[in-house]
């Protein structure tokens, strides 16, 4: 989003009041940005790092987390028409990517669970910045310095919340990808084990089948071998039982 300028803030503005001013300025910025040309919207949605910028569906649709379902639907229609590839024939490829980003963001906000997660991340980003502001002021108080931090400026506060929110979305996406890669690796390992088990079972079945099919042949060969052995033995025995030759007595 474009900068709103830091002159609106004052040094004495508290965290909660700064946040209210921040949202007022954000709405003014979004109202101005909402009339960006199709080319500018495509540029915004496909800029370097957009894969992470576009993780926040509210950032994609240029809405605040308090937007109603009707406002979300209306904004989706406006943006989808602006960046639709059919309306941007001179830049179809990027228009398609921008359109997909808008469509994905809208679908995320149509899912109650994903919508809640997105809002939780945005609130977590705001709470983190407020916590850091308090910690900074505690340190300043110990040092006897004026309790003024840069985030007291509504614009600086907005930027800090935006950066922290984007960081949280990016960290969640990285963890999701790591988890997905781990699950894919595990599925691959299990599949390889299944294939190996199937091949082993197949080999065993083939061996058993071959064993059964050659059983008769092996039995016949054994019987033939035994018969030959018996015949040879009988012949040998008969040769040993031949009566000795009688020599004629000479007188």
């Amino acid at each position: 989003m474009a900068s709103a300028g830091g002159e609106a803030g004052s040094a004495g503005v508290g965290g909660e009041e700064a946040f209210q001013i921040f949202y007022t300025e954000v709405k003014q910025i979004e109202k101005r940005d909402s009339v960006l040309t199709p080319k500018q919207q495509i540029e915004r949605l496909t800029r370097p790092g957009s894969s992470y910028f576009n993780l926040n569906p509210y950032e994609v649709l240029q809405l605040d987390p308090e937007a109603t379902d009707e406002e979300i639907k209306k904004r989706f229609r406006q943006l989808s028409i602006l960046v639709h590839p059919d309306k941007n024939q001179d830049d179809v490829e990027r228009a398609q990517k921008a359109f997909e980003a808008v469509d994905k963001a809208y679908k995320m906000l149509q899912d109650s669970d994903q919508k809640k997660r997105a809002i939780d991340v945005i609130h977590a980003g705001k709470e983190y910045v407020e916590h850091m502001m308090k910690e900074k002021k505690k340190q300043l108080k110990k040092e006897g310095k004026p309790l003024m931090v840069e985030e007291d400026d509504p614009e600086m506060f907005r930027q800090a919340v935006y950066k922290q929110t984007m960081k949280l979305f990016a960290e969640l996406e990285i963890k999701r990808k790591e988890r997905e890669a781990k699950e894919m690796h595990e599925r691959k390992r299990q599949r390889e084990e299944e294939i190996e088990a199937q091949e082993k079972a197949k080999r065993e079945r083939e061996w058993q089948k071959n064993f059964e099919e050659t059983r008769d042949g092996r039995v016949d060969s054994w019987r033939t071998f035994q018969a030959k052995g018996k015949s040879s033995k009988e012949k040998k025995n008969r040769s040993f039982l031949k009566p000795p030759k009688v020599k004629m007595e000479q007188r």
Side-chain angles (χ1 to χ4, degrees), residues 57-250:
Y58 288 100
E59 170 67 18
V60 173
L61 299 178
Q62 297 176 304
L63 295 171
D64 66 70
E66 298 174 350
T68 65
D69 290 343
E70 187 58 35
E71 289 173 330
I72 292 171
K73 187 176 182 179
K74 181 179 179 181
R75 185 59 182 154
F76 164 69
R77 287 176 175 172
Q78 291 174 338
L79 273 179
S80 61
I81 291 173
L82 278 176
V83 302
H84 198 285
D86 291 347
K87 303 259 184 203
N88 297 275
Q89 290 295 315
D90 59 332
D91 197 1
V92 175
E93 186 175 343
R94 289 204 311 160
Q96 180 63 36
K97 290 181 179 178
F99 179 80
E100 288 172 0
V102 172
D103 185 61
K104 182 179 179 180
Y106 178 67
K107 287 178 178 176
M108 284 180 67
L109 297 182
Q110 291 298 295
D111 183 291
S112 58
D113 291 335
Q114 293 191 61
K115 182 179 181 179
K116 183 179 183 303
R117 280 196 292 271
I119 292 175
D120 288 346
V121 172
I122 294 170
H123 286 170
K126 171 183 172 291
E127 290 171 0
Y128 177 84
V129 172
E130 290 176 339
H131 171 73
M132 293 306 297
M133 289 174 67
K134 289 179 181 178
E135 291 299 311
K136 286 181 181 179
K137 289 184 178 183
K138 281 182 183 179
Q139 185 61 33
L140 290 173
K141 187 175 181 180
K142 287 181 180 179
E143 296 172 358
K145 297 179 180 179
L147 305 183
M148 295 172 58
V149 295
E150 62 179 2
E151 290 84 4
D152 285 330
D153 182 320
E155 174 59 17
M156 297 303 294
F157 180 79
R158 182 192 74 80
Q159 289 183 14
V161 171
Y162 174 79
K163 289 177 182 177
Q164 184 59 30
T165 299
M166 185 178 69
K167 181 180 177 182
L168 290 175
F169 272 108
E171 288 175 349
L172 289 173
E173 178 65 6
I174 291 171
K175 289 180 180 179
R176 184 193 68 79
K177 287 182 177 180
E178 289 176 347
R179 185 172 60 253
E180 189 177 77
K182 185 177 180 181
E183 291 173 352
M184 185 179 296
H185 176 75
E186 180 62 19
R187 287 195 299 270
K188 182 181 179 182
R189 185 188 65 79
Q190 291 178 353
R191 181 55 183 160
E192 289 175 348
E193 288 182 353
E194 289 174 0
I195 293 173
E196 176 59 28
Q198 290 171 359
E199 290 179 348
K200 182 179 179 181
K202 182 180 178 181
R203 290 194 298 269
E204 290 177 351
R205 287 194 303 269
E206 290 176 347
W207 184 90
Q208 187 65 30
K209 181 181 178 182
N210 183 63
F211 180 82
E212 294 295 336
E213 289 177 346
T214 59
R215 182 193 298 274
D216 292 341
R218 290 196 309 276
V219 171
D220 290 342
S221 296
W222 176 248
R223 286 174 178 169
T224 301
F225 173 76
Q226 284 186 318
K228 287 181 178 180
K230 185 176 180 181
S231 175
S232 176
K233 187 175 181 180
E234 288 175 350
K235 288 180 179 179
K236 188 175 182 181
N237 288 339
R238 284 197 299 271
S239 66
F240 286 138
L241 293 175
K242 286 181 178 179
K245 292 181 178 180
V246 180
K247 293 182 178 181
M248 297 298 291
E249 187 178 346
Q250 295 179 353

